[in-house]
Amino acid sequence: MDPHLLRTFVTVTRLGSFSEAARALGYTQSAVSQHIAALETDLALPLLTRRPVAPTPAGERLLEHAGPLLLRIDAARAALGRFAAAPRATLRVAASPLALHPRALAALPADGVTLTARPRERVVAAVATGAADAGLVDGVAAPSDPLRLPDVAPLTATGVAEEPLAVVLPAHHPLAGRPGLRLDDLVDARWLDAPAAGIPLDRLREMHGGPAGHGFRTALRYEGTDTRALAALAAAGHGLVLLPLPLTGPVPGATAVPLTAPRLVHRTELLLLGSGRPEPPGPLAAFAARLTG
């Protein structure tokens, strides 16, 4: 399967247009049509309907594989490119918002660094493809357990911090005075869904172990990355949210009640491309040493 044809297919389905895909890829519309036809011939299956432009059932299944396949190819290209690249004098760090732990921030160089906030899955992709020299990613796990990350490239993940979790709610909420809360008691509550800035509700449902899609009803969806804005929404009564305990305050009108069951922590990990070999001297090696030493 030619990756160039596959990339064209993904672009056409994402944009829903042959002409828009041609503009995005720098091809002629005729070339895009030829790419799709060649891929369909190779697989002996129709992958797209033309009016409207949309994936067929076979195309939908191919899309499930296409993203990881193309990411793997980009990661391999980035890994090989490091052999020819000169040592970098600057540092590019991609981080999910809740991974910006004080220890991680203190380890950043005084200058020559670019820090970019990204959703968790895009942090992994940025490191894998060489768009970032290092990544800081977070998630929920049992104490001392590593995070479950997509298998997109040979990445080295090192634990940086583990923090307790807390439910953030308005100070006047009936549960605000409790010493701790169990997730089982919050299944029917109204929640904030903030996949980029908070713990995704899908992860809460998974941790609870209930039926798929059961409980943890979305009251408001927040698409931003500002964790303080998220806590302020909780304080205003728009829904509960689960956050690392040190990052929840002080927010006027909000109360953070520790999560006592199940026994989980908020974990932050440093991601580097490679199999754990020492980095050559430079900003990346210094940053990694300060953060994990």
Side-chain angles (χ1 to χ4, degrees), residues 40-55:
E40 290 178 324
T41 299
D42 179 30
L43 298 175
L45 286 167
L47 301 174
L48 290 171
T49 60
R50 269 49 175 187
R51 294 181 183 275
V53 175

Side-chain angles (χ1 to χ4, degrees), residues 163-168 181 191 241-246 248 255-259:
E163 305 154 310
L165 288 160
V167 180
V168 182
L181 290 170
W191 286 83
V241 66
L242 191 66
L243 290 173
L245 189 56
T248 58
T255 295
V257 181
L259 182 71

Side-chain angles (χ1 to χ4, degrees), residues 168 170 192 226-239 241 243 248 251-254:
V168 182
L192 292 166
D226 187 337
T227 55
R228 286 188 60 81
L230 182 59
L233 285 169
H238 291 291
V241 66
L243 290 173
T248 58
V251 175

Side-chain angles (χ1 to χ4, degrees), residues 10 17 19 38 54 78 82 85 109 118 122 187 192 200 225 248-249 256 265 274-275 283:
V10 170
S17 165
S19 58
R82 297 176 72 187
R118 300 173 184 252
R122 290 181 57 195
V187 175
L192 292 166
T225 59
T248 58
V265 295
S275 56

Side-chain angles (χ1 to χ4, degrees), residues 5-293:
L5 305 184
L6 193 59
R7 200 177 298 276
T8 299
F9 168 71
V10 170
T11 305
V12 171
T13 55
R14 177 172 58 85
L15 297 177
S17 165
F18 280 66
S19 58
E20 290 296 325
R23 276 191 284 271
L25 295 169
Y27 298 150
T28 64
Q29 185 169 338
S30 175
V32 169
S33 297
Q34 290 171 13
H35 282 195
I36 299 301
L39 186 59
E40 290 178 324
T41 299
D42 179 30
L43 298 175
L45 286 167
L47 301 174
L48 290 171
T49 60
R50 269 49 175 187
R51 294 181 183 275
V53 175
T56 64
E60 291 281 4
R61 182 57 57 88
L62 180 59
L63 282 173
E64 295 174 6
H65 297 276
L69 283 171
L70 292 173
L71 186 53
R72 272 279 182 180
I73 292 171
D74 291 341
R77 191 183 301 278
L80 293 174
R82 297 176 72 187
F83 287 96
R88 295 182 60 86
T90 58
L91 178 65
R92 301 165 302 166
V93 179
S96 50
L98 288 180
L100 295 175
H101 187 273
R103 181 177 178 182
L105 297 178
L108 291 170
D111 52 32
V113 61
T114 300
L115 178 63
T116 306
R118 300 173 184 252
R120 293 172 183 82
E121 64 277 5
R122 290 181 57 195
V123 172
V124 177
V127 177
T129 60
D133 304 309
L136 292 167
V137 68
D138 75 289
V140 174
S144 300
D145 277 2
L147 298 178
R148 291 180 297 172
L149 300 174
D151 182 18
V152 296
L155 297 176
T156 300
T158 306
V160 172
E162 288 188 354
E163 305 154 310
L165 288 160
V167 180
V168 182
L169 34 73
H172 55 77
H173 194 281
L175 301 176
R178 293 196 181 184
L181 290 170
R182 302 184 312 150
L183 208 55
D184 284 351
D185 299 330
L186 304 171
V187 175
D188 296 324
R190 298 166 64 254
W191 286 83
L192 292 166
D193 189 16
I199 308 300
L201 288 189
D202 285 348
R203 183 70 176 115
L204 262 65
R205 297 184 186 105
E206 181 183 343
M207 291 186 298
H208 177 252
H214 173 71
F216 304 99
R217 170 169 63 96
T218 300
L220 183 148
R221 183 176 174 88
Y222 174 61
E223 297 284 358
T225 59
D226 187 337
T227 55
R228 286 188 60 81
L230 182 59
L233 285 169
H238 291 291
L240 309 184
V241 66
L242 191 66
L243 290 173
L245 189 56
L247 296 182
T248 58
V251 175
T255 295
V257 181
L259 182 71
T260 55
R263 188 165 174 261
L264 298 166
V265 295
H266 175 258
R267 181 176 171 89
T268 301
E269 293 182 351
L270 169 68
L271 299 185
L272 299 175
L273 182 62
S275 56
R277 293 188 301 271
E279 293 289 334
L284 177 57
F287 172 62
R290 285 193 296 267
L291 193 52
T292 61

